[in-house]
Amino acid sequence: ALTMAPTSGNPFVSNIAAESQTLANTILDTYCAATGFKKRTVMEVDNMSGINWCTIPVTIVEMGFMSNPEDDARMADEAMQYQMASGIADGVDQYFGQ
């Protein structure tokens, strides 16, 4: 699993980059703890229109990789989907509780 967030050099959202990095790290930690998926990294991206139009802290979550048969099977499981959603929600809660 990994998350994506803008950098401070992003000309569109530099004002929310630091908070976006914090959000991305927090969600990645709680998601991986909840699911057992391997924690990869927070990718720094400045070319995603879904990020560049934001006015509040933002991240994209890559929950696993369908190209990986093990990840694909786990993500198809309904119980795992609940764990995945809970892990993301826990990260959002933790972020706002800071």
Side-chain angles (χ1 to χ4, degrees):
L2 62 88
T3 53
M4 298 177 203
T7 70
S8 60
N10 185 307
F12 305 105
V13 292
S14 60
N15 60 319
I16 61 169
E19 285 300 314
S20 295
Q21 290 281 333
T22 300
L23 175 64
N25 274 301
T26 303
I27 289 176
L28 186 59
D29 287 345
T30 58
Y31 177 81
C32 291
T35 63
F37 277 92
K38 180 182 175 182
K39 179 181 173 183
R40 297 185 74 146
T41 189
V42 174
M43 289 180 59
E44 296 182 333
V45 295
D46 289 332
N47 61 348
M48 304 288 283
S49 60
I51 287 177
N52 291 341
W53 287 94
C54 289
T55 58
I56 59 172
V58 60
T59 187
I60 295 173
V61 182
E62 292 287 339
M63 297 180 275
F65 299 94
M66 293 175 72
S67 58
N68 177 323
E70 184 179 316
D71 284 3
D72 189 34
R74 290 179 69 204
M75 290 187 294
D77 179 70
E78 188 174 337
M80 177 55 72
Q81 292 169 2
Y82 180 81
Q83 287 179 259
M84 293 163 67
S86 294
I88 293 169
D90 289 346
V92 172
D93 288 345
Q94 186 175 326
Y95 171 81
F96 282 107
Q98 296 182 29

